[in-house]
Amino acid sequence: MYGYLLKRIFLVSLISWIVVVPLYASNVKNGELNLSTIHLTTNFTLQGPWQYYPGDFLSARQMLELPEHDKKFVRLPSRWNNHRHYPEKLSNFGCMTYYLRIIIDPSTVGQVAGIKFYTVSSAYKVYVNNELLITKGQPSRSEQGFKSDRSAHLLHFTVESDTLHLVLHVSNFSLKNYGGVAQPIVFGTIEEVEKHNFVDYFETLFFSSAFFILMFLHLLIYLIRGREITHIQIALISVLFMLKILTENEHILLKFSSWMNLTIEYKLWNATLLIFPVLLNFTQRIFPDDIPRKIAYLAYTVFAIMLILIFFLPLQLLSSISHFLVLPPFIGIIYLFIVLIKAMIKKRKDALIYFAALFIMFLGFINDIFYVTDLYRTSLQAHFG
């Protein structure tokens, strides 16, 4: 029964990963996207060089009327501290105006369009043709009056002309390394964007539910089969991955929990890095002769210090060291690979299958490092591993 259920979970996971609403990368050029010859029957990601203006909130008209030598463009999505994309060094904290002109097929006028925003840190407003469509948090020009809310949002509006002036007012005074637009913005007809939104929610809720079931099953087995501690460890790993899913991408906890705020969410998200010491102890129990106790105790000490930093450092200071927090788990997983390679050489039982499973999770972890450090535009996918 247990193996049958796990096979079904894997099968549905694979299907949910492959069967997604198609997205087409748009050809944004110098703050303009020309879709005048394309009928809106699918979704487009608004990736490419948007016009931007740092330090103030401007209207679409003000952005257009800027002198040519003052017009600046940056490829979105990107964060303010990513100097590979911005032609100037920007502060981690402040405000920004983004502007994009979208020219669409005249036959689309009168239809309802949709835009899906993911992580925009840490507060923002969206205008289309000078009409305010949504406010997330309280974006401001200074820290006074600022309130963060970076949860994902889908908005819709009626297309009233063949030219759309899309303006984002973004401010960040919370997370040092995360200011800006972190994930692609999706645009299309409301029907197509809602389909895409449904797939996003389905994936989030499905995987979090799968980890919840896995946790419940292992706790049940622990109570029935003589209290083997490895079942508690797998249950704990499942809880941490479930927490990770609910605090990223769609930001489900931030959106639907009245007690949740950015500080709590960010600290919980960082706390999921504690998956590694649980994995280390789990591996040590399976291969007790291959992991010296001194190395295990050193790892537990390092992660205990990390846990203290995560829960007691102020939000701005914690976010400033976020890139360093991923190093201990990364080094730790490399060490586990070495341990498992040695175990395979010694022909330890189950070493090969454990190595394969860890390798898949490692790929997901590397993907998340690319996201956190903004080295490569991706999304958080370690839960697949």
Side-chain angles (χ1 to χ4, degrees), residues 142-161:
S142 65
E143 194 167 357
Q144 185 176 3
F146 170 80
K147 184 178 179 181
S148 62
D149 183 353
R150 61 172 187 166
S151 59
H153 190 81
L154 185 153
L155 58 85
H156 59 85
F157 60 95
T158 301
V159 178
E160 297 180 348
S161 70

Side-chain angles (χ1 to χ4, degrees), residues 270-303:
N270 278 278
T272 61
L273 293 172
L274 298 174
I275 289 171
F276 173 75
V278 183
L279 277 174
L280 177 64
N281 190 264
F282 182 83
T283 308
Q284 192 177 26
R285 288 181 178 276
I286 299 176
F287 309 107
D289 299 328
D290 298 299
I291 300 180
R293 289 187 177 183
K294 289 184 179 179
I295 292 181
Y297 289 151
L298 175 62
Y300 299 148
T301 301
V302 170
F303 279 90

Side-chain angles (χ1 to χ4, degrees), residues 240-272:
L240 290 172
F241 268 116
M242 180 174 64
L243 189 61
K244 184 177 185 297
I245 293 170
L246 295 175
T247 54
E248 62 191 21
N249 290 335
E250 291 294 321
H251 302 280
I252 295 294
L253 287 182
L254 186 62
K255 183 179 293 186
F256 296 110
S257 300
S258 58
W259 54 271
M260 182 64 64
N261 57 42
L262 180 60
T263 300
I264 298 174
E265 186 206 44
Y266 188 71
K267 288 177 179 287
L268 289 175
W269 182 72
N270 278 278
T272 61

Side-chain angles (χ1 to χ4, degrees), residues 99-170:
Y99 168 70
L100 178 66
R101 178 167 57 187
I102 305 175
I103 302 173
I104 59 176
D105 182 359
S107 65
T108 309
V109 175
Q111 296 185 22
V112 178
I115 305 178
K116 173 69 180 288
F117 292 88
Y118 290 92
T119 302
V120 180
S121 293
S122 300
Y124 62 99
K125 291 182 178 180
V126 180
Y127 296 85
V128 173
N129 292 351
N130 296 318
E131 179 184 355
L132 176 63
L133 296 185
I134 186 65
T135 300
K136 301 295 288 185
Q138 294 179 9
S140 61
R141 292 176 174 84
S142 65
E143 194 167 357
Q144 185 176 3
F146 170 80
K147 184 178 179 181
S148 62
D149 183 353
R150 61 172 187 166
S151 59
H153 190 81
L154 185 153
L155 58 85
H156 59 85
F157 60 95
T158 301
V159 178
E160 297 180 348
S161 70
D162 61 1
T163 302
L164 304 177
H165 300 277
L166 177 59
V167 173
L168 271 69
H169 289 167
V170 181

Side-chain angles (χ1 to χ4, degrees), residues 5-72:
L5 181 59
L6 286 181
K7 289 178 182 178
R8 291 299 175 268
I9 289 176
F10 172 78
L11 180 61
V12 177
S13 302
L14 185 63
I15 293 173
S16 67
W17 196 5
I18 296 174
V19 182
V20 296
V21 177
L23 287 174
Y24 295 91
S26 56
N27 191 22
V28 175
K29 293 182 179 179
N30 293 330
E32 181 175 293
L33 173 61
N34 192 333
L35 301 176
S36 59
T37 60
I38 303 174
H39 191 63
L40 287 182
T41 57
T42 186
N43 293 324
F44 294 86
T45 57
L46 303 182
Q47 301 182 72
W50 289 47
Q51 186 181 348
Y52 77 98
Y53 189 88
D56 203 356
F57 294 144
L58 304 184
S59 66
R61 181 175 180 179
Q62 289 174 311
M63 294 293 283
L64 289 170
E65 291 179 350
L66 286 173
E68 287 300 318
H69 63 271
D70 286 337
K71 290 184 178 180
K72 305 172 185 178

